[in-house]
Structure formats: structure tokens, C-alpha cells
Amino acid sequence: YRRIKEINTVRNDFIETLIFEKNKNILPTLNHRRSVDFFINGESFDQKVAKSPTNEFKREFSENWKSVALSNPEKVAEYLYRYQDEGRFGADSRLLVVYLDEDVSIETIARTVESTDLQEPIEITFDYAHKTQGTKTYKVKCFMILLSTDEDGV
């Protein structure tokens, strides 16, 4: 478990470094605090890396889930916000990095980050069913990076 956690940290740091190198409009935070990893055009964003677009997304779109994700990244963001764990709930602006395949190469990650435009975030509106507060609607800004082995997904 500790080794996997270490590998994931290195992977996330690598992605973050690629993002900083490509984008002059991004400033890192000097001290990491909850929900802020960097500033994009002066607005705070939290980077989150997900191993998939959620089981709910895959279930709803069945065998077509991957093509739906690639053509509708805002839908992936909506599911990630809607189905996040309540203990770590956040309605903060995020840069979401989502693996659509497990075996994405370092070269593909670098190429995908290089081709991603981090100028204008997308706006997501989502409902979240809180256990004690009931369902609330939130509106957030986010950027999406979808990592896939499909060349047309890059």
C-alpha cells in the first residue's frame, strides 16, 4: 500500500510539472493548503487525479462509456463531482486528470498535457446528495485532462 501511494504521488507530481512547464498562466502555491494546488489566470484550482470517470458513469453509458467520455469531458466532470466521497466533498474549482485506461504511457501523458488548453475552464452544475443536508446544487469551474491509449483521445 505504501509503495502504491508513493508511485501515485510521483505520478501526480510528474503531471503537475508538465502542466507548469506548458502553461505560463499557472502559478503554484507556495504552501499547499486544502483545495488549492495552483492558480490558473489568478483563480485557485485543486488538482485531482481519478483512476476512472466513476463506476456510475461506466454503468450509465455501458460499452460506449469511453467514447462518451472523450466527446463529453464536461459529463465526466459532472459525475466526478456528483459521486465524490462525502468525507472529502468539495465544490471547489478543480483541474481533473482522469485515466480512461490503466496502461497510459508516460509519452501519451506528456502529449495529452501538451495538447490541453488551460485558458478557459468549463462550468459544471451538479447535484450532490448530502447525507445530513439533503440534495444541494453547486456550480463550479474546472479543467479536464482525459488520459487514454486511444490516439484520437489525445
Side-chain angles (χ1 to χ4, degrees):
Y1 171 79
R2 289 174 66 196
R3 182 69 177 142
I4 290 170
K5 191 164 175 66
E6 182 179 297
I7 289 169
N8 287 340
T9 298
V10 170
R11 176 202 62 202
N12 294 349
D13 289 347
F14 171 69
I15 292 170
E16 198 170 295
T17 300
L18 290 173
I19 290 168
F20 290 142
E21 286 178 353
K22 179 198 180 272
N23 298 280
K24 302 300 181 211
N25 62 326
I26 298 179
L27 296 172
T29 57
L30 297 176
N31 57 347
H32 280 274
R33 66 179 203 253
R34 182 172 159 78
S35 303
V36 179
D37 286 321
F38 39 78
F39 296 89
I40 303 175
N41 295 325
E43 292 186 54
S44 62
F45 283 83
D46 185 23
Q47 178 179 305
K48 295 288 185 198
V49 178
K51 294 184 285 184
S52 85
T54 74
N55 290 331
E56 293 81 3
F57 187 92
K58 290 178 177 181
R59 197 169 21 257
E60 179 161 339
F61 298 105
S62 59
E63 68 273 352
N64 296 322
W65 72 265
K66 195 171 171 185
S67 63
V68 171
L70 289 168
S71 59
N72 300 284
E74 69 284 350
K75 196 68 140 161
V76 175
E78 179 186 331
Y79 273 71
L80 289 168
Y81 277 104
R82 179 182 296 157
Y83 294 105
Q84 63 186 298
D85 180 68
E86 178 134 32
R88 298 183 64 184
F89 174 80
D92 305 302
S93 296
R94 294 182 177 161
L95 187 151
L96 300 166
V97 180
V98 183
Y99 280 81
L100 302 181
D101 295 301
E102 291 181 14
D103 55 346
V104 179
S105 70
I106 295 295
E107 294 81 11
T108 299
I109 292 171
R111 202 169 46 247
T112 303
V113 169
E114 178 66 30
S115 68
T116 301
D117 180 17
L118 296 178
Q119 293 296 322
E120 291 295 322
I122 54 178
E123 287 194 343
I124 304 299
T125 301
F126 70 99
D127 293 329
Y128 190 83
H130 294 277
K131 291 177 183 164
T132 57
Q133 302 171 22
T135 301
K136 291 188 172 191
T137 301
Y138 298 90
K139 189 172 191 175
V140 297
K141 293 180 182 180
C142 72
F143 290 99
M144 290 291 304
I145 298 177
L146 299 174
L147 301 174
S148 171
T149 57
D150 294 347
E151 283 302 313
D152 59 348
V154 176

